[in-house]
Each structure stands twice: as structure tokens, then as C-alpha cells.
Amino acid sequence: MRRRLVELVRVGLVGAGRIGAMHAETIARRLPGVVLAGVADPVGEAAERVAAPYGVRATTDVEGLMGDPEVDAVAITSVAAAHSQLVVAAARAGKAVFCEKPMALSLEDADRAIGAAREAGVALQVGFNRRFAKDFAAVHEVVVAGGIGTPQLMRSVTRDPGWPAGLKNPGGVRPWTIFLETLIHDFDTLLWLNPGAKPLEVFTRADALVAPEFKEQGLLDTAVVTITFDNGAIATAEANFSALYGYDVRGEVFGSKGMLSAGNLLQSAMVHHHADGVSLRTVRSDVEMFIDAYTAEMAAFVNAVREKSTPVVTGEDARNALAIALAAIASYQSSQPEKVAE
């Protein structure tokens, strides 16, 4: 009996930075029945550098790539400020869209992106990769099954092991990055692990403790956000840009029937006993920790394209996390608790 061939999905990549390069490799080499159809970036050299290993075209014509009839879907991995505009453009070109987080920087732009995808009838998935990590996914399954009862205390942690590679001047990090591009993952995680609950209010404490000399430029590198939900759960999300011991991402849900946790920064189970004591190796980047999750999220997107189904992480999910991020910024500015916008 002949096996049914997997329908080929051709994906164009928009944005040739660090994460774009990782997604390009995933699309080109890690997923059966998926083809990297081209790479577009306003910086031609960057597009060429990412496209070259796979023998695909590199272009500065983003709209041209999106409008190409040989492209079925678009993966947007550009700078965050361009995300919502690119989602709208891709949707209007009739392409399914995968967009790295954050999908937008304002609720109005998020609504425009969601509306464009809905009007065009195309899939829109956002890159919250922790949902696809096996340990986080297992926690979610137990929560949904009622295994810890009603969530009461929750925690999500992101501690980056230093400034992004190649960034010589941390003052070049965009203002509010810690909320909109780092903690946005934690906000989504907390929403996902407290299903059906509505965030009501947030309170933020943040500072520039790693690089205080850049605080006047709007760079905050340390933050704790407390979120109150309508089911009574109280959650904290914390981030820091200088965990010298490795890339530290963890989650915890404590409830009326028990507690669940996820996240382990150990590179392997190997323990080295030596003259100076005991050593363990830790992961040092998001790609190293979450490469399987990055692959699984792109596989899920491709399946949604093939099946013309709703992606497992939607534009509405991205909007919900963004609403918390914006309330967190407002709370930092006011030094008061702030309501989460509808």
C-alpha cells in the first residue's frame, strides 16, 4: 500500500537576525515536507548570510517575497516594532503567518493584525515556544486535568545569561524590552497555566541594576511583576538580564491539591566531581534550551497550514499577554497597581 505524500509547505522568512537564522535552519532541515522558499531582510547582507547555507534566494524586497505565488506561508522574525505591520501585509497577501513574539506593541496594532488574518482566512500563530517544551506542556496537561486543584500561587522566571551576543552597548536595547520582549513569555506562560482565568491587576517593581548607567535611556534590566487573577490566583513574573550561571527559565503552579514545576537549566545529568568540588554544566542560550520547542512550534504551524486549522497559539493569545505587559509598564510608571485592559 502506497503511503500518502505529505503536502509540501513553502515558507518565506522575513527577518535575518539571530532568531531568524535559527528558524531558517529549522524550516530547511528539521521538518519533513517543508521548504525554505527564501529570506527577506532590509539589510541585504543579512538576508544573504542566512539564505546561503540552504541555496535559496535572498532579497531586500519583503513585499515581493510575501506576494510570491510560490510561497505558502511567511515566518516573521524581524525586529518587534515591525511585527504587526508585517502580519497585516502577509495576511493581505493571502499567506499563513507565523510571527515571533511580541506580535504587536499596542493593543490597537494587535487588533489590526488579528483582524487582517481573520479577514483573509489565514492561520496566524505566535511564537510562544515554552508551550511546546515537554516539561511545560506536561505541567499544563496536569493543570487542565485538575491535578493541582485551583491554582493559588504561580511563578514564572526568565533570567538571561547576559546581553545579546554582539551587543557592545546595552544602551542600544529598546525601552521596555524587559516587558515587551522578555517577560511577554512569562505572561503568556502564566495565562496558559491558569486556563480560563482573567488577569485583573498588575503591580511592577523594576530597575537598572545590571547596567545602571543606561537607566536614563529607558533600559530596565531587572523586574518583578505581580498579577492578580479573577480566580484568586496570585502570580509573579520576574526577569533579569545577567544570570552569569546560565540561561534560567522556570515555571511553578501551586494549587489546592499540590504543586507543579518546570524548567531545568542543566545541560545534562552529568555531575563532575573533582579537586575543587562538584560541577554541573548549564545551558547558555534560549536556542540551546528550547531547540526542540522551537522545532515543535514550527511543526505545529505547518500542520495548521496543511489542515487549514486554527493554530494552537493564536493572535488572541498574543494580545492577552501584551495587555499584561502594557499594564506592567503603566504600573512601573505610576508606582501603583494598574488594571489589565480588555
Side-chain angles (χ1 to χ4, degrees), residues 173-182 218-220 328-329 332-333:
V173 175
R174 292 174 293 278
W176 311 126
T177 289
I178 199 165
F179 302 108
L180 295 169
E181 300 189 43
T182 301
L219 173 59
L220 300 171
I329 293 170
Y332 169 76
Q333 292 174 315

Side-chain angles (χ1 to χ4, degrees), residues 20 55 91 122 147 166 207 219 229 301 323 335 337:
V122 298
D207 208 339
L219 173 59
F229 288 88
F301 170 65
S335 297

Side-chain angles (χ1 to χ4, degrees), residues 41-89:
D41 194 285
V43 179
E45 295 82 357
E48 290 169 3
R49 185 170 56 252
V50 171
Y54 315 110
V56 300
R57 65 167 165 150
T59 180
T60 58
D61 184 4
V62 173
E63 291 186 1
L65 181 68
M66 289 181 174
D68 188 338
E70 294 300 310
V71 172
D72 303 305
V74 173
I76 295 170
T77 59
S78 65
V79 295
H83 285 181
S84 62
Q85 178 182 351
L86 291 170
V87 170
V88 171

Side-chain angles (χ1 to χ4, degrees), residues 13-15 17-24 26 74-84 86-87 97-105 113 124-130 132 180-182 184-185 286-287 290 293-295 297-298 301 313-315 318:
L13 185 80
V14 176
R18 181 182 69 90
I19 290 298
M22 182 277 300
H23 280 302
T26 295
V74 173
I76 295 170
T77 59
S78 65
V79 295
H83 285 181
S84 62
L86 291 170
V87 170
V97 189
F98 173 90
C99 183
E100 262 299 342
K101 54 76 197 170
M103 182 186 68
L105 301 182
L124 170 57
Q125 180 173 320
V126 180
F128 288 124
N129 59 72
R130 290 180 202 181
F132 297 88
L180 295 169
E181 300 189 43
T182 301
I184 196 83
H185 274 300
D286 50 355
V287 173
F290 288 122
Y294 280 120
T295 303
E297 72 175 355
M298 192 60 69
F301 170 65
V313 188
T314 65

Side-chain angles (χ1 to χ4, degrees), residues 211-222:
E213 64 272 27
F214 294 105
K215 184 174 181 178
E216 293 303 315
Q217 299 179 32
L219 173 59
L220 300 171
D221 50 47
T222 306

Side-chain angles (χ1 to χ4, degrees), residues 16 30 56-57 79 134 234 238 257:
R30 297 191 181 107
V56 300
R57 65 167 165 150
V79 295
K134 291 181 179 178
I234 301 171
E238 70 169 73
K257 295 182 180 178

Side-chain angles (χ1 to χ4, degrees), residues 2 29 44 90 94 180 219 227 279 284 303 305 313 319 324 327:
R2 294 182 63 184
R29 294 179 174 168
L180 295 169
L219 173 59
I227 307 164
S279 300
R284 296 284 160 165
N303 286 339
V305 174
V313 188
R319 189 190 191 281
I324 297 178

